Amino acid sequence: MTATPGLGTPQLASPDLLRSVFRRHAAGVAVITAQGSGRPVGFTATSLTSVSAEPPLISFGIRAGSSSWAVISEADHVGVHILGEHQEALAHTFARSGADRFGAPTRWRQGPEGVPVLDHVLAWLVCRVVARVPAGDHRIVLAEVVLGDPSGAGRPLLYHQGRFNGLRD
């Protein structure tokens, strides 16, 4: 390994290297939801990706050991919610292990296909799960958009350098 002029010393691949690099990558913040047998589940995700316009497909990653995985692994449909900068507390709630994610003050309703839909988000989708792909300690979920609403007001919430942020002008 040699040093690159103007850059630091390269490091061999490791979980720490990957985390350090992606702390520098600003990502939009989403909450993924699904309905289990009698209970909704959800988690904060920054791995949401638009995959295809025809057909309309999205993907997201979920840790296979997460508390939401058991439900997501069986769900036919998921909800995808784009959070606004006014929803930092909601992002923290859905990121925190052991939190009552759907208790007060979270506001939500049962939406199409039985999917929990969060109130006051910038946009939301209901998607039909079409594949779950093993990827290391995560699973990549591929889902086809069924319907949604892009009409929420506000600016997006971002995740950067290990914390939630808003856009700067």
Side-chain angles (χ1 to χ4, degrees):
M1 226 177 354
T2 60
T4 304
L7 298 176
T9 304
Q11 302 174 30
L12 291 175
S14 70
D16 287 340
L17 172 63
L18 186 66
R19 285 186 199 102
S20 294
V21 168
F22 274 87
R23 279 180 157 292
R24 296 180 173 270
H25 174 73
V29 180
V31 168
I32 310 298
T33 61
Q35 182 63 45
S37 56
R39 67 180 179 95
V41 299
F43 64 97
T44 300
T46 57
S47 62
L48 180 64
T49 304
S50 170
V51 174
S52 169
E54 290 293 329
L57 297 172
I58 59 97
S59 71
F60 60 87
I62 178 172
R63 190 173 47 82
S66 78
S67 60
S68 296
W69 173 241
V71 171
I72 300 289
S73 72
E74 300 290 328
D76 292 329
H77 292 84
V78 294
V80 177
H81 306 82
I82 307 300
L83 300 190
E85 62 187 2
H86 63 285
Q87 294 177 302
E88 182 176 338
L90 186 66
H92 280 291
T93 297
F94 277 83
R96 194 170 34 253
S97 181
D100 181 4
R101 296 170 179 163
F102 290 90
T106 301
R107 299 193 58 189
W108 65 282
R109 64 192 180 285
Q110 187 173 21
E113 304 296 340
V115 171
V117 175
L118 302 175
D119 291 345
H120 308 296
V121 294
L122 297 186
W124 60 268
L125 299 168
V126 170
C127 303
R128 182 179 59 84
V129 175
V130 297
R132 295 169 184 89
V133 180
D137 62 354
H138 277 62
R139 300 298 179 264
I140 305 302
V141 177
L142 187 65
E144 183 174 9
V145 175
V146 175
L147 58 88
D149 180 359
S151 65
R155 293 161 52 116
L157 183 63
L158 301 177
Y159 189 73
H160 181 250
Q161 292 287 14
R163 64 181 203 263
F164 297 110
N165 296 278
L167 287 175
R168 294 190 191 122
D169 289 329

